[in-house]
Amino acid sequence: MSDTESYGFDTLQIHAGAAPDPATGARNTPIYQSTAFVFRDAEHAAALFNLQEVGFIYSRLTNPTVAVLQERIATLEGGVGAVCCSSGHAAQIMALFPLMRPGKNVVASTRLYGGTVTQFSQTIKRFGWSAKFVDFDDLDAVKAAIDDDTQAIFGEAIANPGGYIMDVRAVADVADAAGIPLIIDNTSATPYLCRPIEHGATLVVHSTTKYLTGNGTVTGGCVVDSGKFDWGASGKFPSLSEPEPAYHGLKFAETFGPLAFTFHGIAIGLRDLGMTMNPQAAHYTLMGVETLSLRMDRHVENAEKIANWLEKDARVDFVTYAGLKSSPYFDRVKTVCPKGAGALFTFAVKGGYEACVKLVDSLEIFSHVANLGDTRSLIIHSASTTHRQLTAEQQEAAGAAPNVVRVSIGIEDADDLIRDLDQALSKAVS
Ligand SMILES: *Cc1c(COP(=O)(O)O)cnc(C)c1O
């Protein structure tokens, strides 16, 4: 599709990156279920391997179905390129990998998906990387945490589990001043509600497992590059600016300019780490993305109704939804995610841990699962599940204290969801 700038979001979510199949005329993007692709001749093969020509070699690196999804998501986010991978957590490693080396650190928000807190506080240490967690509402603390070894700042636009809204622009300004990239996990917001690149983010990561696919069928991830960071200028990122031995001394920043990060992600990241998205998963996610805006509008409408109802209920102590006037983040919604504050929030149940467990067990429409961003309404008691590995202080800081449950509001009838919550709260709180 040409001139993607002039089309609206609803058009792009269906068409960007796709064209009728040149071989068969198939209107939907076929699932190219093939490991390898035939070279035209030896010269073509050599050009592909030298990164002088873009094309398909082997599906660990590139696949035509996955390529359509990459272009679709890059377009919706306003980036220059994207690399899809096997999960959201894979996308996070793929985003950090070109930036980090042993001894280097990332400054991360305290309010993150529980699995990301574990990945950043435990697992990345095995690579010699580390993370420093700070409250992103305290910009002085963010600045103070940055040292000579800090390579990136990482946060979520609409943050797990409480639905807090990050002031992306303010943190981007801190990153700019320090000469380091800002990485935004935009999973909970999606590009329909928030476009972090417009607020100064360098890279955007997604768990496509969630709203982008939308119906809880496949896991996947994506790293989108804004193309705006000058990797060559800073000297802090030799993987991108210095000669790459595996490609005869090619320099990614010099050779590929704004596409350096994307090419590095495919030619080094997917080639050597192998966290590849398969074409079946890309197919399901492409189908999901086609209806993203319609679903997100309904997710937000339902979340607003339900959060308002819960806030007035005597059995509930508080509701964290940023779309409520009582939220300290209400004013940020207008600038950061003007189409709504998403559909993810927590609420505190009178009666604490025991009442939360009883509530979760008594619901009939809501499913008790460790997932979010499904058409179905989901609930989880974070303290006993996703945030179980964290210390009490980390749970509190992350908004996952023992007396709160997290909901991901689906697109069912809001009145049915309210009735379900009402009957379950009656059983949980006596
Ligand atoms: C689910 C999720 C992840 C991890 O994604 P997976 O696809 O499960 O690996 C990361 N960040 C956020 C905000 C998520 O919701």
Side-chain angles (χ1 to χ4, degrees):
M1 178 179 207
S2 60
D3 190 22
T4 52
E5 303 261 306
S6 67
Y7 292 109
F9 193 96
D10 292 353
T11 304
L12 294 172
Q13 71 185 358
I14 296 170
H15 292 287
D21 183 49
T24 62
R27 188 60 193 87
N28 209 340
T29 300
I31 304 169
Y32 287 93
Q33 199 69 57
S34 182
T35 309
F37 300 87
V38 178
F39 306 120
R40 286 194 304 270
D41 51 35
E43 201 185 328
H44 178 220
L48 289 175
F49 274 92
N50 277 341
L51 302 181
Q52 287 156 339
E53 195 177 318
V54 178
F56 302 105
I57 300 175
Y58 183 69
S59 282
R60 173 159 31 81
L61 295 101
T62 47
N63 172 280
T65 313
V66 178
V68 172
L69 180 61
Q70 288 173 163
E71 194 174 333
R72 178 86 43 92
I73 298 175
T75 304
L76 295 178
E77 285 287 2
V80 294
V83 180
C84 282
C85 37
S86 52
S87 70
H89 271 0
Q92 291 166 197
I93 297 296
M94 288 280 292
L96 289 175
F97 181 65
L99 311 177
M100 304 288 275
R101 304 193 291 289
K104 300 294 177 185
N105 69 70
V106 54
V107 168
S109 170
T110 45
R111 299 196 186 95
L112 294 176
Y113 179 73
T116 306
V117 177
T118 308
Q119 185 187 56
F120 282 11
S121 60
Q122 308 293 333
T123 305
I124 64 171
K125 282 192 202 152
R126 313 229 177 154
F127 307 143
W129 312 346
S130 61
K132 299 189 202 180
F133 295 95
V134 288
D135 178 352
F136 275 20
D137 284 340
D138 182 350
L139 292 176
D140 290 331
V142 179
K143 283 179 210 160
I146 297 170
D147 62 29
D148 289 344
D149 290 318
T150 302
Q151 300 294 96
I153 300 182
F154 186 101
E156 293 177 15
I158 297 183
N160 261 280
Y164 303 100
I165 312 290
M166 174 178 165
D167 187 345
V168 181
R169 169 59 65 188
V171 180
D173 288 344
V174 174
D176 275 353
I180 53 178
L182 172 65
I183 306 171
I184 293 293
D185 182 338
N186 202 29
T187 300
S188 311
T190 81
Y192 180 65
L193 298 182
C194 175
R195 306 227 307 166
I197 291 171
E198 287 173 2
H199 300 274
T202 306
L203 302 170
V204 176
V205 295
H206 276 283
S207 167
T208 60
T209 314
K210 313 293 170 51
Y211 291 107
L212 292 183
T213 303
N215 46 26
T217 46
V218 288
T219 59
C222 187
V223 186
V224 183
D225 182 15
S226 66
K228 291 185 177 150
F229 198 92
D230 188 347
W231 307 106
S234 98
K236 275 179 86 83
F237 306 101
S239 300
L240 291 154
S241 62
E242 298 308 308
E244 169 56 44
Y247 286 105
H248 310 298
L250 172 144
K251 296 178 184 171
F252 279 90
E254 194 180 284
T255 309
F256 299 111
L259 280 165
F261 200 92
T262 301
F263 271 87
H264 192 280
I266 293 165
I268 308 282
L270 289 182
R271 186 196 63 182
D272 297 342
L273 301 177
M275 300 191 276
T276 306
M277 177 181 279
N278 67 73
Q280 281 278 348
H283 168 72
Y284 282 111
T285 304
L286 278 166
M287 286 206 291
V289 169
E290 290 182 358
T291 58
L292 181 64
S293 64
L294 308 178
R295 286 183 288 109
M296 294 315 292
D297 277 338
R298 176 63 88 86
H299 279 295
V300 167
E301 186 188 322
N302 280 0
E304 283 174 357
K305 267 192 206 158
I306 291 164
N308 274 294
W309 179 83
L310 283 167
E311 192 176 43
K312 293 191 195 90
D313 196 287
R315 296 162 295 188
V316 171
D317 275 326
F318 62 83
V319 182
T320 62
Y321 189 53
L324 291 171
K325 289 202 183 66
S326 59
S327 167
Y329 298 97
F330 184 73
D331 287 340
R332 279 190 193 161
V333 175
K334 278 181 238 118
T335 48
V336 179
C337 43
K339 292 204 186 76
L344 191 70
F345 60 87
T346 60
F347 61 94
V349 183
K350 286 211 165 74
Y353 191 101
E354 291 308 319
C356 287
V357 170
K358 193 85 189 286
L359 171 79
V360 163
D361 282 343
S362 306
L363 285 161
E364 286 167 13
I365 301 175
F366 281 80
S367 305
H368 182 202
V369 299
N371 192 18
L372 60 97
D374 196 319
T375 51
R376 294 154 197 80
S377 289
L378 313 173
I379 189 163
I380 195 154
H381 182 224
S382 303
S384 62
T385 55
T386 52
H387 288 60
R388 196 185 182 91
Q389 261 57 269
L390 310 189
T391 64
E393 294 78 53
Q394 282 176 320
Q395 284 181 351
E396 192 76 42
N403 62 331
V404 302
V405 288
R406 185 197 72 190
V407 284
S408 169
I409 301 297
I411 58 176
E412 303 99 330
D413 284 292
D415 290 343
D416 291 341
L417 298 174
I418 288 172
R419 234 180 318 145
D420 195 25
L421 287 164
D422 190 27
Q423 64 81 18
L425 278 167
S426 299
K427 290 178 185 142
V429 183
S430 44

